[in-house]
Amino acid sequence: MRLSQYFMPILRDDPKEAEIVSHRLMLRAGMIRQEAAGNYSWLPTGFKVLKKIEQIVREEQDRAGALEVLMPTIQPAELWKKSGRYDAYGKEMLRIKDRHDRDMLFGPTNEEMITDIFRQGVQSYKDLPRNLYHIQWKFRDEVRPRFGVMRGREFLMKDAYSFDISREAGQHSYNKMFVSYLRTFARLGLKAVPMRAETGPIGGSDSHEFLILAETGESGVFFDGDLHGMDWEKSGVNYDDVAGIAAMVEGFTSRYAATDEKHDAAEFERRVPEAKRMTGRGIEVGHIFFFGTKYSEPMGCEVQGPDGKKLFVHSGSYGIGVSRLVGGIVEASHDDAGIIWPEAVAPFQMGLVNIKVGDAAVDVACSRIYEALQAKGVDVLYDDKEGGAGGKFAAMDLIGLPWQVIVGPRGLKEGIAEVKNRKTGARENVPLDQVVGRFGA
Ligand code: ATP
Ligand code: MG
């Protein structure tokens, strides 16, 4: 992509409304624009990052055997009246009337709808287990939307729902999602610590939140430092291995980790030696619940059991805050100059900087490199706009692409370009004919 043809409205000054670093950097880098409180447009680079995160989330859900669907954002109120949550959900639910005066709502979550879909689609225990998920916009009329996309009112969530014939079978579905979350966050370059959690308005028995550590997090966190040394990648996991998956979950849940809501100071001190007691703040990026028959009973979601008798299905729900993760990753990965994207979610793999646009030799050298990189399938942002070198460097650092290739008249005379690693700041002079070989497959 040529910057001269792109849309990336960079702000020179810090926007006043931004209280935390991710919000500030996302606005300054031209990734998002606020339309109303907690309601954002995603501009080209922001949207690319969002899509990359979404795709990693999708791949790991698919790998764990979940099936993707897409439910509408607008839901009929009837479904929620059946579960009893229409009144219970309160002011966070955005309620709408259609032209026929029917009660509708902008979905804050989808337990009711998916339970109804499942009820109509299955008859027998032989149709279980199943896990259905979608990645869809939600609306929650938060009292205090803030911190940019971290606490929006309209936000993108992945929500999965499992259906099993018993509590025990449901435990395996829960465990599979637990492990898939570890993998998902690890691929995003994050360690999201699973912690015991309250179940909140979704309700249920078993629940874990996944939190990334950041000073600006809204939850206090307390955990065993040994968790840092765990295997977070879970590469080569076999999701059919019931005992193996349970052991992976046990490895994490047997160590103390709790948010302030569930924290028990006495237990923390008893179980974790002082030197290993970690405390801090965290951002909730995922939340899994097991709630059994809480929705299947009121909504009549039953199947024929092995003995011919009807039984209510046992369910769990599993959320990941896809749009919150964009801000969460920036919180976890930035410096004074700007964002530092992990390679897996960077909006472009690299930036090519022409520091003297209009100098024929530099223009030709840059165009050659740009075209060769494109031919190789490297996603490159080429700064071909007129402007001073200082401003260009600052903008590149701000938007945080993992690599920068800098070409100017002086280097060109010696036949070299400068290659800079955004994360380490390391710079290297590379012969022009070797630049392209450095990137891509
Ligand atoms: P919180 O405690 O932060 O308000 P929640 O517990 O109400 O979140 P869940 O119902 O657990 O949220 O939703 C699943 C996931 O969706 C959360 O783990 C979070 O990552 C994301 N999420 C929830 N609310 C928001 C929001 N207002 N803006 C962005 N992401 C959100
Ligand atoms: Mg939650």
Side-chain angles (χ1 to χ4, degrees):
M1 175 58 62
R2 286 175 180 269
L3 191 58
S4 59
Q5 292 164 20
Y6 202 46
F7 187 74
M8 192 174 68
I10 290 204
L11 306 180
R12 272 175 177 277
D13 300 314
D14 282 341
K16 277 187 225 65
E17 72 267 32
E19 293 172 60
I20 61 169
V21 70
S22 60
H23 189 195
R24 179 163 55 82
L25 291 176
M26 286 178 70
L27 287 171
R28 282 200 53 210
M31 295 176 65
I32 51 169
R33 194 184 82 126
Q34 182 174 309
E35 303 299 350
N39 184 266
Y40 292 88
S41 290
W42 293 80
L43 306 184
T45 49
F47 192 50
K48 280 187 96 172
V49 175
L50 185 70
K51 289 275 161 195
K52 287 195 172 182
I53 296 174
E54 178 183 333
Q55 184 56 23
I56 288 173
V57 170
R58 173 177 290 118
E59 285 169 17
E60 292 304 325
Q61 291 290 291
D62 292 347
R63 196 190 302 270
L67 305 165
E68 189 170 11
V69 298
L70 184 60
M71 290 175 268
T73 52
I74 307 292
Q75 306 185 16
E78 279 152 70
L79 282 174
W80 289 70
K81 288 178 180 163
K82 264 196 212 163
S83 74
R85 280 209 295 179
Y86 189 59
D87 294 326
Y89 219 93
K91 288 201 161 186
E92 287 218 341
M93 179 183 278
L94 182 65
R95 295 155 207 259
I96 308 164
K97 278 206 194 280
D98 72 5
R99 67 196 299 163
H100 305 292
D101 218 27
R102 279 188 288 250
D103 289 325
M104 312 285 284
L105 57 102
F106 197 119
T109 179
N110 284 68
E111 281 80 5
E112 284 74 2
M113 188 173 277
I114 199 78
T115 305
D116 201 53
I117 290 173
F118 200 71
R119 178 179 68 83
Q120 292 190 352
V122 299
Q123 278 92 42
S124 156
Y125 73 96
K126 290 179 189 152
D127 300 323
L128 300 175
R130 289 289 184 278
N131 183 325
L132 303 175
Y133 78 98
H134 73 162
I135 302 174
Q136 178 62 293
W137 293 89
K138 305 289 186 288
F139 194 96
R140 295 182 184 176
D141 207 347
E142 302 270 355
V143 194
R144 223 184 135 204
R146 56 182 185 157
F147 299 163
V149 299
M150 301 259 271
R151 182 165 298 284
R153 290 195 297 168
E154 190 174 334
F155 60 95
L156 188 61
M157 194 204 286
K158 182 285 300 182
D159 38 327
Y161 303 89
S162 63
F163 301 93
D164 281 275
I165 61 163
S166 65
R167 173 79 186 87
E168 298 69 53
Q171 185 69 51
H172 180 52
S173 296
Y174 185 89
N175 290 349
K176 284 204 286 192
M177 284 292 109
F178 190 111
V179 171
S180 79
Y181 276 35
L182 295 174
R183 282 185 53 93
T184 303
F185 297 125
R187 281 187 63 187
L188 294 172
L190 299 169
K191 265 185 196 169
V193 185
M195 308 204 175
R196 273 192 266 157
E198 289 291 352
T199 48
I202 308 254
S205 43
D206 203 356
S207 174
H208 288 91
E209 288 175 351
F210 289 73
L211 290 101
I212 54 177
L213 303 180
E215 282 163 28
T216 47
E218 292 186 275
S219 312
V221 298
F222 304 83
F223 63 98
D224 183 337
D226 276 352
L227 281 164
H228 279 308
M230 305 282 292
D231 164 20
W232 295 79
E233 318 274 323
K234 301 296 177 207
S235 37
V237 58
N238 172 8
Y239 284 110
D240 294 327
D241 175 5
V242 177
I245 294 286
M248 285 181 183
V249 172
E250 171 77 10
F252 279 85
T253 56
S254 61
R255 289 177 169 82
Y256 190 95
T259 61
D260 35 20
E261 287 174 342
K262 279 262 173 169
H263 178 55
D264 177 338
E267 186 189 343
F268 189 42
E269 281 168 29
R270 191 174 65 247
R271 288 181 48 194
V272 187
E274 194 169 355
K276 289 185 177 167
R277 279 179 220 150
M278 304 290 199
T279 61
R281 305 209 59 82
I283 300 166
E284 177 191 330
V285 289
H287 197 164
I288 60 179
F289 305 88
F290 193 80
F291 47 73
T293 58
K294 181 178 155 96
Y295 297 97
S296 63
E297 285 193 39
M299 306 206 54
C301 182
E302 36 181 21
V303 295
Q304 191 149 40
D307 56 1
K309 283 196 200 131
K310 291 264 186 188
L311 55 86
F312 289 115
V313 302
H314 290 253
S315 289
S317 70
Y318 313 92
I320 290 182
V322 177
S323 51
R324 176 177 286 182
L325 274 164
V326 182
I329 292 170
V330 176
E331 287 295 324
S333 184
H334 67 269
D335 62 15
D336 290 343
I339 303 169
I340 303 174
W341 290 114
E343 305 245 357
V345 300
F348 294 91
Q349 278 167 272
M350 53 164 291
L352 172 63
V353 185
N354 179 334
I355 58 172
K356 192 125 198 230
V357 173
D359 176 314
V362 182
D363 289 349
V364 168
C366 283
S367 288
R368 281 211 187 114
I369 294 173
Y370 176 61
E371 275 151 32
L373 286 168
Q374 278 204 312
K376 265 181 103 177
V378 177
D379 198 12
V380 44
L381 180 65
Y382 170 26
D383 181 354
D384 61 342
K385 281 172 82 168
E386 280 177 17
K392 284 174 178 250
F393 296 150
M396 271 297 162
D397 281 352
L398 172 66
I399 67 170
L401 309 180
W403 296 94
Q404 298 170 13
V405 172
I406 299 150
V407 183
R410 226 184 309 146
L412 203 58
K413 282 206 190 95
E414 297 165 35
I416 51 156
E418 192 176 38
V419 174
K420 176 178 159 186
N421 181 296
R422 174 67 182 89
K423 188 172 177 179
T424 62
R427 296 160 182 275
E428 194 187 340
N429 288 329
V430 175
L432 278 174
D433 58 355
Q434 289 175 25
V435 169
V436 174
R438 288 291 191 94
F439 300 95

